[in-house]
């Protein structure tokens, strides 16, 4: 009933692909330094011709290189290339240097009535958001056992969408949560003292409020980890509590503006990138809420599609929620073309989405149960 | 349990008010032209001393004058003053010229734990919106038979919050609807052709879409009025349909950007202002959604309080919903200090507010009914 | 050196245009009511086949009809059609019903390095604004005696870009100014009392400030017109003063939020539309600054091109300046595709543009002068 | 002629300060873990009573603690406190626990006609920006040998304000530049290939553009440092070139979204914070342009005033430029109350500010020179 996107690999038997040369590889002159004409990757399906055979390196992401690791072709960050490592070179993406980026396969299909076409509508607060479709996509992704990653900013907590986020965690819609120190700090401050940035849940300042988040950080540092704070009963509810008690993994990346930071925050940004990419490489669905920095960071790491076995690829649904069109436009300008923008308040988004997901779940229930 | 705001009139027996002179009135030199030192009104409780007695002219609004019409004191627009009309003069608001603006009574009470204090929080997408409180305020206003006016922009229809707006109309939460030609055009286009500005409800353009709103306008012009279009069965659903079938009055003010316009649109802006003020003078609650122009227009006309009999005044709850902080800030900068800002998408606001109002209604139901 | 856009009319000798039927015209069933299948116009070059000949009605604008007035073909507002008037019908724009909208001629040329291609770049605060090109386009338009219309919002005055606007008026860059009551009120308030909305030029509130604009309005009403206020020496500087003393025409359209209004404001919105269209039909260049309402109103009225004699058409350069991407995007979404967006503060735009125009003027000066 | 702000320390001889107890210090239970009731600092002048004497620890910043290092009182980050370190405790800021935060001294003086009063106006695109005052403040700061720090985001380069930034560096207005990897990458990409994010200076995409910034990064990595790239002649102009050739120090902090990163970027966020605080502790003036992340990070570190010898304090002028009110409001909500917001496009800000600073410089020139 809902026709799905069907990826078709390019036809390598017809010209000009049929006559393309093998890709060339050159040695890195030093560790983390690339040969001059290195090929810079995108997040689209990419084919590299080696020994006369077109191969598709898995898990492409933007701004990386194709590295020949033994007989493997690996898409990896330039900084990880060893001295002498063999790196694909070329500046053309049309196959004429043995490398072919299959943009048509994903960005072309505007006219078909499929979910990806739906994903390509313009971003505007004036466009209606079809929460029913979003809820269905999310629900089906859970059903098929996909990995749904959430990338969230502190406004999610600040704006009291916290209960809804907890609901999604408890009900299996969160495969991993990626964020920064602040989102965890605000959530833990709320759990420990009932405030966020010293403001009560009704938006009023409280006495001594500006220090509340520092006290929350100190409490957690004292027991050594967020998990310990949960187990010790110091943190009895909230997003971090739900993640810990439901064994949902999370990555907290450090940033220049962090207070504390909390134990477990990865203060080295390269270590944090690696930790995040471990999750993005398994992701089959992504939701970005109220975070420009992390949305763009994770957008950079994500393939535009879910890599199946063989040639079965499907689009990697990516939803980006922000108060302004700007963040979504920026994300797409930087290559995450598949991002579907929802221009609204994070609190309201979470509330309405949850409402629609609950309704979708009820509609899935067999008749016998609802009797 | 929920302590209410209690207005206390100023104490006229103590200095300096006790020693204030009578207010002076001077004749207008020409129709619609004021005496030089005319007193310019605000939307706050205002007292004028006449023959040694402090009187409070009813229904103050911004940017008007106090006019002595026989023995009455009337707050009216300068353009309506006849030649020779007696107009209060003075530039001080502290009583020293016989006129006293009681700002303290409304803007002062920051520290008491009342609903109006709540209303004075700063506007920011980061502040949590307490929909439960908004729903309660709205529900109680309906219960006490207040006049709730809605001032809406076309984004309300465009963003498919239409069903929710209809729900509020049907359930008695709308005493009058004020808007422009566009909101009605979009709604009628949706009723007649299923599109808004040529876009389907899922946000896709349709063939010949750019003319759809012109065809809707023509359809209504052909039958002479919106009410006729409803009665003729040409318009079977939507906001205008709900207003007509539930006898809820509406005012559509013309603007320079109108197509058509629809029959019934008041193309003269002064006539439109008069028509709107007829409703704002009775209003006890106001909701502005997604309209800068009309929000500021109506904000200008509204008293900051509901005028009861005697000295019982209560704040006139004014909710302003917009995608950005800017509109709300602008509204408040122009004197509508009481406006409570909700920074979100109009569609989501309507959805969540309705959800909370439904829940509030259920909580009001006596136990016997829910059995 | 700077290759110009060259419009090429469609080739009517090739299929399918060569075999197109004549356009059909039907009688309006009542005054201001159109035949069911009326053709709704755009702002692009449009050809209508009459008696076997393709004709191009002049001055197309959006949301109008093609009316056969004797042997003339006139693009006019539906409300002006008399009962029985002959109106072109058809819903196809490809010539198959005798009407052809030549979208390719203007919207197609993305790949040529011309000014219009330049005009089609996306709107974003991140895109650099080439003020040198804007200044050159403006300067050349003045040189060739074009009609440059400015459509301005009150922020232009509020933000103290007033001196720069005056400079453009004095130096012949303003053919007409279109705006609302507010822009004139703020400007006259500044001229009379040195404040705007009661705020001094350094942004501080002054005593009794909220009434200052009402006093300015009253002053002008007393003498009967803005021109009289200038001649009487009550208004000695400012935008309105410059317009009056340089005989530059202006239209002030009324709106629902007006105070006063000032004498000369057209309070009937249809009269105001007609007055504005008298200028837009002669316009060869348009600059919209800080006004959503008027930008969209005037955008609706403007052809996308300057109508020359014969088939010489050139794009009608339209610059839209606003603090956010939203207004420009909205303007383009509503059909003013040619609008070039500048996302910045109105004050800074005016300042920088003037600086570049002054520099461009100096570069035009013959060498002998600069010695 | 321009009356300056005069800080007056509190009067410790009057009650209740005169009777205040000594502050209490408690031992940190572990390294980086604070005693339960630690005192959390602000950026305002703070006095701590030790042995009956009120002392003022230098360089307060937000979210730190007062640490007793031998006889010194040091404001430091919690993570730096050793096990057993003596940390001031108390939750009151009014002296009743021996700690007094002198908010009045800085935040109170609204009514005096001084530069800091000017700085406290609300943030709005509608408020006029007095560039003449900003230019004077900047010029005088240079004259008195102050340390002016600039905190900049990539939009500064992207928007071609680059030439203006270079001008400020060359003319001694930049004491240090703080930013992230991206600002340097964009600037170096522009220097090496003439594009920013693959877009030419007129805003058009170039062939292979998406890889341009990766090639720029690789070029710099190959030679080992930005300074080497300048010295090797690979980078011949731009912001980084100007910093290197004029010996202006800079700090580039890593973030989760970095490509590369460039050599010299501090990938550990705590190391980056320490490097930045080394400059903020000497800063006497701060300009934040187009960066939410770094503005808030640096805002957190800055005292609200410049610490002179003795009790001579003056406000630390902090200018925050952004396209929206939101960033400035957020910065102030997080405690950088002294920030003066300029709501505009970064490119235009730089252009106009430079123009006014040049004019200010000319006005300073002695008459003899201008003859």
């Amino acid at each position: 009933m809902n026709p799905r996107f069907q990826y078709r690999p390019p036809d390598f038997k017809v010209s000009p692909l049929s006559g393309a040369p093998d890709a060339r590889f050159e040695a890195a002159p030093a560790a983390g330094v690339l040969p001059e004409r290195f090929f810079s990757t995108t997040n689209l399906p990419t084919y590299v011709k080696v020994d006369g055979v077109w191969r598709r390196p898995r898990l492409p992401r933007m701004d990386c290189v194709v590295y020949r690791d033994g007989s493997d072709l690996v898409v990896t960050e330039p900084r990880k290339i060893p001295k002498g490592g063999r790196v694909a070179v070329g500046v053309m993406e049309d196959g004429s240097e043995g490398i072919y980026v299959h943009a048509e396969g994903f960005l072309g299909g505007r006219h078909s009535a499929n979910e990806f076409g739906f994903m390509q509508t313009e971003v505007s607060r004036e466009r209606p958001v079809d929460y029913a479709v979003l809820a269905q996509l999310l629900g089906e992704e859970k059903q098929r056992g996909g990995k749904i990653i959430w990338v969230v900013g502190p406004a999610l907590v600040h704006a009291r969408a916290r209960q809804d986020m907890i609901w999604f965690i408890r009900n299996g819609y969160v495969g991993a949560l990626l964020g920064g120190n602040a989102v965890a700090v605000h959530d833990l401050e709320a759990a420990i003292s009932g405030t966020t940035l010293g403001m009560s849940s009704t938006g009023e300042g409280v006495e001594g409020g500006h220090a509340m988040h520092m006290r929350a950080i100190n409490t957690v540092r004292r027991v050594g980890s967020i998990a310990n704070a949960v187990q010790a009963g110091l943190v009895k509810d909230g997003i971090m509590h739900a993640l810990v008690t439901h064994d949902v993994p999370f990555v907290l990346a450090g940033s220049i503006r962090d207070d504390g930071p909390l134990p477990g925050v990865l203060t080295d940004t390269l270590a944090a990138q690696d930790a995040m990419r471990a999750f993005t490489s398994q992701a089959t669905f992504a939701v970005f809420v109220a975070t420009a920095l992390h949305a763009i960071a994770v957008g950079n790491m994500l393939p535009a599609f879910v890599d199946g076995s063989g040639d079965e690829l499907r689009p990697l649904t990516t939803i980006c929620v922000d108060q302004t069109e700007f963040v979504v436009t920026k994300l797409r300008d930087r290559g995450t073309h598949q991002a579907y923008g929802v221009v609204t308040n994070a609190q309201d988004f979470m509330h309405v989405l949850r409402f629609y997901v609950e309704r979708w779940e009820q509609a899935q229930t067999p008749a016998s149960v609802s009797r």
Side-chain angles (χ1 to χ4, degrees), chain A:
Chain A
M1 191 173 144
N2 191 348
R4 292 293 166 188
F5 176 84
Q6 182 67 45
Y7 176 75
R8 299 190 177 186
D11 186 349
F12 294 109
K13 290 180 193 140
V14 300
S15 178
L17 292 183
S18 58
D22 267 16
R24 290 183 47 237
F25 289 79
E26 292 183 7
V33 179
L34 305 171
E36 190 81 6
R37 289 184 73 258
F38 69 92
F39 177 80
S40 188
T41 59
T42 72
N43 55 4
L44 297 167
T46 301
Y47 296 84
V48 180
K49 197 166 183 179
V50 178
D51 300 335
V53 178
W54 287 99
R55 293 166 57 182
R56 186 167 64 73
R58 290 300 188 262
L59 299 171
R61 54 155 288 183
M62 277 185 262
D63 298 331
C64 278
V65 291
V66 178
Y67 168 56
R68 198 162 177 175
D69 188 6
S71 63
D72 281 356
L73 290 181
V74 183
V75 175
T76 198
E77 289 82 358
R79 62 183 160 85
K80 295 187 173 171
I81 302 297
K83 180 172 162 61
R86 308 293 292 173
V87 172
V89 294
V91 294
M92 305 303 288
E93 301 182 342
D94 61 358
S96 61
E97 298 187 76
I99 305 176
Y100 182 69
V101 178
H102 197 202
E104 296 299 302
F106 277 88
L107 304 182
R110 271 194 166 256
H111 302 295
S112 55
N114 58 48
E115 74 193 284
F116 200 64
F118 155 70
M119 291 296 158
Q120 287 171 347
T121 51
E122 298 280 320
V123 180
S124 167
R125 66 193 74 169
E126 291 198 329
R127 303 239 169 208
V129 174
D130 197 332
Y131 280 100
V133 171
L134 295 184
Q136 182 190 347
L137 291 171
L138 196 61
E140 290 177 355
E141 195 65 37
K142 175 186 163 187
Q143 277 185 336
R144 68 159 76 97
K147 277 273 185 192
I148 303 167
I149 60 169
W150 291 68
V151 184
V152 299
L156 194 80
V157 185
H158 207 60
R160 259 196 338 177
R162 219 168 148 236
Q163 292 310 317
D164 299 309
M165 188 72 229
I166 293 168
W167 183 90
F168 283 110
I169 295 168
R170 285 193 181 145
N171 287 276
Y173 290 97
V174 182
L177 183 137
L178 314 183
N181 182 63
V183 70
V185 168
H186 289 352
D187 177 66
L188 294 166
E189 180 192 340
I192 293 170
S193 64
T195 57
T196 44
L197 275 183
M199 221 162 52
S200 77
S201 64
T202 55
E204 282 154 39
V206 303
E207 189 76 30
H210 71 80
M212 290 300 191
H213 69 294
M214 296 307 295
R215 299 197 188 285
I217 292 168
N218 195 49
T219 296
V220 179
R221 286 177 75 101
R222 200 171 58 228
V223 295
S225 74
I226 294 171
N228 288 354
V230 171
Q231 278 136 29
L234 295 169
V235 169
K236 291 184 178 135
D237 60 23
I239 295 171
M240 302 313 296
H241 176 270
L243 293 171
V244 168
T245 54
H246 289 76
D247 282 324
V248 174
F250 57 89
V251 177
L252 302 178
S255 94
I256 186 72
R257 62 174 270 202
D258 292 348
D259 291 314
L262 287 166
V265 168
L266 298 169
T267 60
D268 186 81
T269 51
L270 302 181
Q273 283 187 355
D274 291 349
M276 285 196 173
R277 199 179 171 208
F279 289 104
T280 60
S281 64
Q282 302 177 337
T284 62
F285 199 102
V287 187
F288 302 165
V289 186
T291 169
L293 177 66
H294 285 90
I296 292 170
V298 173
N300 273 2
M301 296 177 196
L302 273 184
F305 56 90
V306 177
D307 223 337
S309 50
D311 285 328
E312 289 162 41
L313 308 184
R314 58 190 170 90
L316 197 160
T317 303
T318 305
I319 299 168
C320 181
V321 184
D322 203 85
Q323 187 72 38
T324 67
E325 286 85 357
F326 181 61
V327 169
V328 190
T329 302
K330 193 166 175 170
L331 180 64
R332 291 162 63 137
D333 275 357
R334 276 156 185 71
T336 308
H337 301 289
Q338 81 271 20
Y340 175 69
V342 180
V343 180
T344 190
N345 184 294
Q347 172 182 19
D348 292 336
F349 171 80
M350 295 297 286
H351 207 79
V352 180
L353 182 64
R354 170 182 166 180
F355 177 81
Y356 275 88
V357 170
E358 287 183 317
R359 203 152 73 175
W360 180 86
E361 285 187 345
Q362 285 158 12
Q364 304 303 304
T365 314
S368 61
V369 173
S370 65
R371 241 184 307 156

